[in-house]
Amino acid sequence: MRFHDRRHAGEELAVRFLDRSADGDLVDTVVLALPRGGVPVAAQVARALQAPLDVLVARKIGVPGRPESGIGAIVADDPPLFDRGALEMLGLSEDRLGADVARERVELRRREEVYRGGRRPAPVKDRTVILVDDGVATGVTARAALRHLRKREPHLLILGVPVCASGTVDLMGREADDIVCLHQPSQLRSVSEWYDDFDQVGDDEVIETLRRFSPLTSTG
């Protein structure tokens, strides 16, 4: 089943989480979106669960000359997480990617400031944390985000995505306590192939979505 757009994907994902909530295992939940594409998806999950919504800004480190192909990722001030196998296969080193990391770190901080506007991140310690994106292919960005969240000591850490490559699900399972994924294709060339409408999400949409949830988010 393809999704009409990210909102539709979020609605379908929310149904799965509502089933989990009915079992009573989602307590003191906060929903975190990986912007920008994860925000419209996460908004539907947060709305269904009546949970706070916030963003966790992560930035992909792309292959030189092919920025769309992720070879690493950064979150907050954490050291970059690299796909070691991919680095070796491409004959790259972390040192060679230092300038790329620095550039993405600047953009990460810009987005944190723009999206949050000085607001502190939603607290996650001892809470059920649901990390949401619009899809996962190689998974390096999601892995970096999950590792960052694990250090903040959530009670339960769940990755929620509409689609994830089946081979990547196992990698995610090493980082998250649970994974809620609607589709696990054996081959996933691009997340966009699962959507009829996969237009880029802009900063304004992210800011407006967070603004609508601000009364919930501010209660933490």
Side-chain angles (χ1 to χ4, degrees), residues 3-132:
F3 303 106
H4 303 315
D5 53 21
R6 291 180 179 87
R7 180 188 178 96
H8 174 220
E11 291 170 346
E12 295 294 326
L13 193 62
V15 171
R16 190 72 64 85
F17 276 107
L18 282 173
D19 291 340
R20 289 285 301 270
S21 181
D23 293 336
D25 61 347
L26 301 182
V27 179
D28 194 16
T29 299
V30 59
V31 178
L32 301 181
L34 285 172
R36 291 180 264 190
V39 173
V41 183
Q44 302 307 313
V45 176
R47 181 172 292 111
L49 297 177
Q50 298 184 349
L53 173 68
D54 200 358
V55 290
L56 178 63
V57 182
R59 292 296 295 167
K60 178 173 63 179
I61 308 301
V63 175
R66 287 186 288 148
E68 72 284 354
S69 300
I71 198 170
I74 53 173
V75 180
D77 293 323
D78 294 355
L81 173 68
F82 286 105
D83 182 333
R84 299 291 178 184
L87 284 178
E88 292 180 7
M89 183 175 64
L90 295 169
L92 294 172
S93 66
E94 293 188 30
D95 289 343
R96 181 177 171 185
L97 295 169
D100 301 83
V101 172
R103 182 178 61 252
E104 293 301 336
R105 188 87 68 184
V106 170
E107 176 62 13
L108 183 151
R109 289 168 179 155
R110 182 198 73 83
R111 292 194 183 195
E112 285 184 331
E113 177 59 30
V114 168
Y115 298 159
R116 196 165 279 120
R119 247 185 333 105
R120 297 185 65 182
V124 302
K125 183 177 173 62
D126 297 329
R127 303 181 73 175
T128 296
V129 178
I130 301 174
L131 179 69
V132 178

Side-chain angles (χ1 to χ4, degrees), residues 192-220:
S192 63
E193 67 189 7
W194 282 81
Y195 290 82
D196 296 326
D197 178 356
F198 202 68
D199 287 347
Q200 183 173 341
V201 177
D203 285 347
D204 289 345
E205 182 176 348
V206 173
I207 294 166
E208 175 59 21
T209 301
L210 292 176
R211 186 194 65 78
R212 293 199 303 269
F213 278 84
S214 59
L216 279 175
T217 305
S218 62
T219 63

